Amino acid sequence: MRRFLRIAVSFILCLSVGQAIEVNAEPDYTDSEYWNEKCNQYEDEDEAACKAYYDFLMDSREDLKEMRKEAEERIAKYEEDIAAYHEELKQIQEDIDARESEIEDLNQKINALQADINMKQAQIEVKETEIQANEDEIEKIREKLKRRMEMEQVTMRTSQYIDVIMGAETFEQLVRILAGMSSITQFEQRVIGEYYDIIADLTAKKIEIAEAMAALQEAQAEVDESRAQIVEKRDSLIIMRFEVQKTEELAEQQRAQAEAEGTSLVADIQNINALMASIAKKGSLSGIAITEGWTFPVPGSNKSAGTWFYNSGGVHLGFDFAAPVGSNIYAVGNGVILHSANGCPTYGYLGNTCGGQIGGSSGGGNQVYLLTIVNDGLYAVKYCHMMLDSPLATGTIVEAGDIVGQVGSSGNSSGAHCHLEVFYLGPARDLADYASTWNGDLSFGCGWFYEALNRRCETGVGAPCRIRPETLFGG
């Protein structure tokens, strides 16, 4: 309705000054490059059209606000999911710790049983050696007694008992045999007594060996059972660890989706536009030289995640330069800090949404948006997760290689790094054209999450589109 009234008023005003106009459909204000250039320093006759264009931008901004609200609602849901995943991980890890403790107890039990088995085996070997010695001694006595009886068999009539006595295999058998013999001399009785003692000792040792062997078999069975339990518990650990991995991947994907959808609309865009217009009037933006080639943003850093996906499969719209907290982050080209957000603690955590409430991307922590001209193109460069109080202020003019902030781990982050995204905005032109009419969209018209994947320059879409940072800085 407001737009209709504006058109009607413009129509009446035009008639009042005698201008003949043709009523046409509303101009195509989506051609932002044309209207930005036209309305940056418009002539009087363009005032109505440019005001209508401004209203169009404000209406678009309302649409973006609604999109931001929807994204924030999804982010809140992701945070709930991530919290649930972390609770599940905690429970699984407790089960794993308990299972590993049980396995350790079983291993200690096995070691103790094995030591007992080794001792019993040593004892058995000693007993077997003693038995062998006893058997050798028994054989000697047996031969001695046999010879003695053979020598006296004429008068003692003992011949009939020799084989019977010598055939006794146990002490009990020997006692029964001797009890029935009456014609044995005192000498033979002494020799037979020695024989009896040796057989008794031999029998006792064989009983000890049998008992030791039984204990050994029992201990070995217990060891085998414990080892079987370990195998079972280790199998369950493998399953648990797989569950942990899958749960961590789900949490990572949700975290990545929350971060990707955290791109928002700057709330104080009118103040930013006014600031940029003021800088432009001073000629500062027009005086920025075109940069020849890209400057590396974080010297000495390593890649911790690439574009366009995490290893776990979650969407990742930029390149992560891992470096110690406090490492300098540099401007990749000459330009102006189009927007800066500061106020998050230097150290965040996975699922932390800090960034959106301070005027930046949700989860991006402390962040800077650089507008620059490199070679023949206009670009926006997004830096995230900076140290608290390190981002340069909005409106700061920089040259390639100037420090724009320091590496931190603020917002949705599990380690120190600088997350960097690059947006191609079209052919090189005066920075003032873009800066003073920017609509505050921190995705620069390139969308969020899976939608953003449809705005990749490498697929052939035109500006605005996302550039893979690796093509500019390697990695």
Side-chain angles (χ1 to χ4, degrees), residues 108 111 129 280 473:
Q108 292 179 2
N111 292 337
T129 301
F473 309 110

Side-chain angles (χ1 to χ4, degrees), residues 104-402:
E104 180 61 27
D105 291 343
L106 286 173
N107 279 327
Q108 292 179 2
K109 183 178 180 181
I110 287 175
N111 292 337
L113 288 172
Q114 191 61 54
D116 189 48
I117 288 173
N118 294 339
M119 181 183 69
K120 284 183 170 59
Q121 286 179 331
Q123 292 174 348
I124 288 174
E125 291 174 359
V126 171
K127 292 294 181 183
E128 288 177 341
T129 301
E130 293 176 354
I131 287 173
Q132 185 60 48
N134 287 349
E135 288 179 342
D136 293 342
E137 186 65 23
I138 287 173
E139 186 61 30
K140 291 178 182 179
I141 293 175
R142 182 179 292 176
E143 290 298 323
K144 180 178 180 181
L145 185 59
K146 184 177 181 180
R147 287 194 301 271
R148 175 71 177 176
M149 288 182 173
E150 287 174 347
M151 290 174 61
E152 297 181 355
Q153 65 180 337
V154 176
T155 57
M156 295 183 64
R157 294 186 298 175
T158 58
S159 175
Q160 57 184 327
Y161 301 115
I162 292 175
D163 292 336
V164 176
I165 294 172
M166 294 300 104
E169 295 181 353
T170 66
F171 170 67
E172 289 80 4
Q173 291 178 358
L174 182 62
V175 171
R176 287 197 301 271
I177 292 171
L178 293 177
M181 297 177 62
S182 59
S183 57
I184 298 179
T185 64
Q186 185 178 5
F187 172 77
E188 279 78 14
Q189 288 178 354
R190 181 174 61 78
V191 174
I192 290 173
E194 293 177 359
Y195 186 46
Y196 156 78
D197 291 339
I198 294 174
I199 287 180
D201 186 53
L202 178 61
T203 301
K205 289 177 179 177
K206 285 184 177 180
I207 291 173
E208 290 179 7
I209 286 180
E211 292 175 346
M213 288 298 295
L216 182 62
Q217 291 174 357
E218 183 179 347
Q220 189 63 53
E222 196 169 353
V223 167
D224 292 342
E225 181 181 357
S226 296
R227 284 180 174 153
Q229 291 178 18
I230 286 178
V231 171
E232 180 182 353
K233 291 179 185 297
R234 282 179 176 163
D235 288 345
S236 66
L237 275 182
I238 292 173
I239 295 173
M240 286 180 180
R241 290 195 173 109
F242 178 75
E243 291 176 355
V244 168
Q245 179 181 353
K246 297 304 293 181
T247 303
E248 286 178 338
E249 288 178 357
L250 286 172
E252 177 66 15
Q253 289 177 19
Q254 293 284 43
R255 184 197 71 78
Q257 188 163 342
E259 179 179 341
E261 293 200 356
T263 300
S264 58
L265 183 72
V266 178
D268 59 348
I269 184 62
Q270 295 182 27
N271 292 332
I272 292 176
N273 289 159
L275 173 62
M276 293 300 169
S278 174
I279 296 174
K281 287 181 180 179
K282 296 177 182 178
S284 300
L285 295 181
S286 300
I288 296 175
I290 294 177
T291 315
E292 295 182 2
W294 297 86
T295 298
F296 197 80
V298 190
S301 61
N302 297 309
K303 171 186 175 181
S304 59
T307 322
W308 304 100
F309 298 93
Y310 287 100
N311 291 334
S312 63
V315 173
H316 187 236
L317 299 177
F319 187 94
D320 287 351
F321 296 87
V325 170
S327 301
N328 290 331
I329 303 173
Y330 298 97
V332 297
N334 303 332
V336 61
I337 303 301
L338 184 63
H339 183 57
S340 176
N342 179 55
C344 296
T346 295
Y347 295 93
Y349 53 86
L350 289 182
N352 188 330
T353 60
C354 192
Q357 62 270 51
I358 59 173
S361 293
S362 179
N366 305 309
Q367 49 203 276
V368 158
Y369 296 80
L370 170 67
L371 186 65
T372 180
I373 295 179
V374 179
N375 299 330
D376 58 352
L378 178 66
Y379 300 89
V381 181
K382 172 182 178 180
Y383 304 82
C384 291
H385 308 300
M386 293 182 172
M387 284 184 64
L388 177 63
D389 296 331
S390 72
L392 283 186
T394 300
T396 305
I397 305 297
V398 298
E399 294 183 356
D402 285 351

Side-chain angles (χ1 to χ4, degrees), residues 9-148:
V9 170
S10 298
F11 178 78
I12 293 171
L13 289 175
C14 289
L15 289 178
S16 66
V17 295
Q19 291 181 332
I21 72 167
E22 181 180 356
V23 179
N24 293 319
E26 185 174 301
D28 179 14
Y29 292 127
T30 59
D31 187 358
S32 58
E33 184 174 347
Y34 167 79
W35 285 102
N36 287 343
E37 181 178 358
K38 183 179 185 66
C39 297
N40 184 41
Q41 293 180 336
Y42 59 81
E43 303 295 335
D44 291 342
E45 63 268 20
D46 296 323
E47 180 176 0
C50 288
K51 285 183 177 180
Y53 174 57
Y54 177 78
D55 289 340
F56 169 79
L57 290 179
M58 292 301 99
D59 290 342
S60 299
R61 181 183 170 201
E62 292 301 320
D63 293 340
L64 288 172
K65 282 184 177 180
E66 183 62 29
M67 294 172 66
R68 175 185 179 181
K69 179 181 178 182
E70 293 175 357
E72 288 175 345
E73 290 174 352
R74 288 194 295 270
I75 289 170
K77 179 62 170 61
Y78 298 152
E79 289 174 355
E80 293 178 3
D81 292 342
I82 290 171
Y85 290 142
H86 286 172
E87 186 61 33
E88 183 179 350
L89 285 173
K90 179 181 177 182
Q91 183 59 53
I92 293 175
Q93 190 59 54
E94 289 176 355
D95 293 342
I96 288 175
D97 293 342
R99 194 58 53 87
E100 288 179 338
S101 177
E102 292 174 2
I103 289 176
E104 180 61 27
D105 291 343
L106 286 173
N107 279 327
Q108 292 179 2
K109 183 178 180 181
I110 287 175
N111 292 337
L113 288 172
Q114 191 61 54
D116 189 48
I117 288 173
N118 294 339
M119 181 183 69
K120 284 183 170 59
Q121 286 179 331
Q123 292 174 348
I124 288 174
E125 291 174 359
V126 171
K127 292 294 181 183
E128 288 177 341
T129 301
E130 293 176 354
I131 287 173
Q132 185 60 48
N134 287 349
E135 288 179 342
D136 293 342
E137 186 65 23
I138 287 173
E139 186 61 30
K140 291 178 182 179
I141 293 175
R142 182 179 292 176
E143 290 298 323
K144 180 178 180 181
L145 185 59
K146 184 177 181 180
R147 287 194 301 271
R148 175 71 177 176

